[in-house]
Every structure is written in C-alpha cells, then in structure tokens.
Amino acid sequence: MTVLPVTSAGQLDAVGQWLPAAARRYGANGYGRSLDTTPTPDGLAERVVGANRLFAGMVTGDAPGLVIVERSPWEENVIGRPMARIAFLGADTFEASVALLKATVDVLRREKVVLARAGSANAPGHIHAAYGAAGFYVGSEVLTLSADLDIVWPRLERLPDCKDCRFATPNDAEAMARVADGAFGDSRLMSDPNFPREWGNRIYMEWARTIARSDEHRMIVAEENGRMVAFGNIQRDVTKAPGVPGLFAVRPDAQGAGIGPLVLRRIIQEYRDAKSAYPLIATEKSNSAINALYFRLGYRIENAHIVYHWTPRA
Amino acid sequence: MTKQEFYAQLDEILENEPGTIKGTEQLADIEKWDSMAAVLFIAMMDREIGITAEPSRVAASKTVQDLVAIGGDKIS
C-alpha cells in the first residue's frame, strides 16, 4: 500500500469525498460538553501546510486515509530535542492505518524525534490496533472530569478558607517551578521508561513558569512559612465554559496534609463566584491522590482517551 | 475532650456512622482518610481544642492514636 506524501492542501481533493465524515469519525474526542473541537476538512487542509507540520501522508483508493504529524515546538524548546504529535490519523482499514503510521515512524526516525504522542480520540478499534502494530505504546490515559458545582461546593465548603492562598504573579514563576519539580512523578512524561525522566520534569517546571507569566491563566498558590507549597491554575476568564484547571501540584514533601483541598476550594470558589456552571478537569488516570479527591467531591468521568507514545528507544 | 468525643469528631469528618472509629485503626485502612480529611482534622483541632496541628505531623501520622497524640493532654 503506497503512502503519498501530502505537501499542499489541494492534494486532499483526492480524498475529498471521504474527508468530511472521516474528520468527525477519527478526529472527534469526547461527547456533549466534553467534546473537543471536531476537525473540519478545511482545518485539516490548513494543518497539512501549517508552520508546525512535520509530515502529512495519505492513502487513496478504496481504503483512504490521512495522517498529519506536527512538531511540538514548545516542548522542543524546553528540552532542546525534536518532539512531535500526531494531529490527525484517520483511515478506514487497519492496513491503511498501519501504512500511514509506518511512514510516520520513518519520518520520526529521520528527524531524530525523541518522543511522539498521539491521542486516541473516539477512534475505532482498528486505529488502536494500528498504533500497536506500528510501534506505538500506551503512554497514559487522560480523563476529563466534570461535576455540578452545586454538588461539589457544599463538600468543599466544609473546609476552612485557605488563609495562605493568593493569586500568583509573574514574579512567582521560579517558586512555582520548584513546586512542580518532582511533583508529577507518575505522569506520562515522567514515568515513560523510554523518555528520560529529567526531560519530563523540565517540561513540567517550564509549564509552571509559563502559566505564571501567562495572560490567559491565573494561578492560585499556597504558602507555608513563606515557602510556596502548592499551586493550581484556572483560566483567567472563568466564565468561558468549559474551564479546565490545567496544572495542579503540591510539593512532594507537603503532600498528605490537606493543602491540595484548600487550593482546590479556592479555585472552585472562583468558578462559583463567576457563576461558571461546570468547570471540567483534565487529569491523567495515574494521578491517584488528586483524582481520589475529585471523585470524593462529586466529579465524574465525562470523557477518557488514551495517549500513545512513540520513542526511538522502544 | 475525651477520647470518645475525639473519635466522634473523626466519624463526622469521615462522614461515618457514629461509633465507627474505635481508636485502634491504621489510617491507611480508613478509605476516606485523605488530604481532605486531614485539613478538616486540622480545622477541628483548632476549633474544638484550640490546638494548631502541624500539617507535617498530621501527614506523618499512621494511626488514630497518632492523631490523638497531637492533642496532647487536651484529649483524655
């Protein structure tokens, strides 16, 4: 089966009749209010020639398929090595899926990519099987949680207000990086045996710094004896639905003493005060301690998807 | 505060039926003993006994009796 490199949007005309339904079938992730943006044919065409595009390939004929692979420039800047993500994989047969992924792997090796990730979206089984056949493996399972704040808040309200919580300022960036240092030990970027733990840790630390300086996010930080021990971020505009607290961490040496719930109480209070009805939370299934707290408060799984990894070492 | 009153406070924190905590438990065996329970415990100690329980000491506690010990002679 021949995979044709795609270097211009016009080439997608060859799969033009197939693409609209395929974009929904293979690109949608979630349902209802947890639904990520479903790609459109025009959106896919833009990505094929986008600035971050690393590779795009298609299979035509009776069993069409398309793969779009993009660089991950932000992570690349942090660790100084090429990283990538599969932005879209759609194919109606296992064989076409494998062919597209094997062509992708050839490019990943040629470009010396150290880690490529792919989200499973709502993909059918043959896509999952193809990832395995092409040398990808499960990196993590990501959960999207949701809850009615009228259920969550009464449970959090039992807690005292966090006296040592405040909003972060850009000057807190380094302190937040110190909180992030080592705090995400079971996450996919730090527990993948084929990806150096130190690189994953660096990514989380830089993520914390970036949020501290961000115009889009606000961070609640908690301090004990003048030392920052925890943070959790919320969107700056919490009236936008869904709001997704993106990063939440408690220093490993401060865990187990209740600071996490206090920070979460403050975050949820912000959403509640802004009358945001249902902030969603994105978390990895391996984040056992914080996930247990979310479920105890009344959060439920609204969506789940697998993140596959590929590394040259695997 | 008596030990029985202390155990009753723990039951309330853990949303147990009254009388569930007997005082012999390992915290790891109590399903709802988590960070949320820990902060409710700290708040309870402050409110009911007037003691500021150090979060690190609470986090290091392994048994219900370890929690009792945080109250010192204010729990008999």
Side-chain angles (χ1 to χ4, degrees), chain A residues 66 112 121 125 166-167 179 268 286:
Chain A
L66 174 68
K112 298 192 180 356
R166 61 174 173 83
F167 282 109
V179 172
I268 297 300
S286 57

Side-chain angles (χ1 to χ4, degrees), chain A residues 155-156 158-160 224 255-258 261-262 293 296-297, chain B residues 12-13 15 32 34-40 42-43 55 59:
Chain A
R155 298 178 186 183
L156 277 171
R158 300 173 68 205
L159 304 177
E224 268 178 14
Q255 290 175 11
L262 291 178
L293 174 61
R296 182 161 174 206
L297 291 173
Chain B
E12 195 173 319
I13 287 169
E15 297 178 306
K32 284 188 191 164
D34 56 14
S35 56
M36 187 154 155
V39 76
L40 288 170
I42 293 169

Side-chain angles (χ1 to χ4, degrees), chain A residues 100-152:
Chain A
L100 290 165
L101 287 173
K102 285 191 171 176
T104 296
V105 168
D106 287 344
V107 172
L108 296 175
R109 288 195 187 282
R110 189 180 69 227
E111 296 293 324
K112 298 192 180 356
V113 169
V114 297
L115 175 70
R117 65 181 167 91
S120 65
N122 296 349
H126 68 265
I127 297 288
H128 292 278
Y131 276 118
F136 288 73
Y137 52 93
V138 175
S140 184
E141 188 171 5
V142 173
L143 305 177
T144 303
L145 310 181
S146 72
D148 185 334
L149 286 193
D150 289 340
I151 293 175
V152 171

Side-chain angles (χ1 to χ4, degrees), chain B residues 38-68:
Chain B
V39 76
L40 288 170
F41 173 80
I42 293 169
M44 181 276 288
M45 294 293 273
D46 181 48
R47 184 181 67 244
E48 300 291 335
I49 306 180
I51 280 182
T52 302
E54 281 296 322
S56 56
R57 187 164 175 194
V58 176
S61 298
K62 299 275 187 276
T63 66
V64 169
Q65 291 308 309
D66 288 343
L67 297 179
V68 171

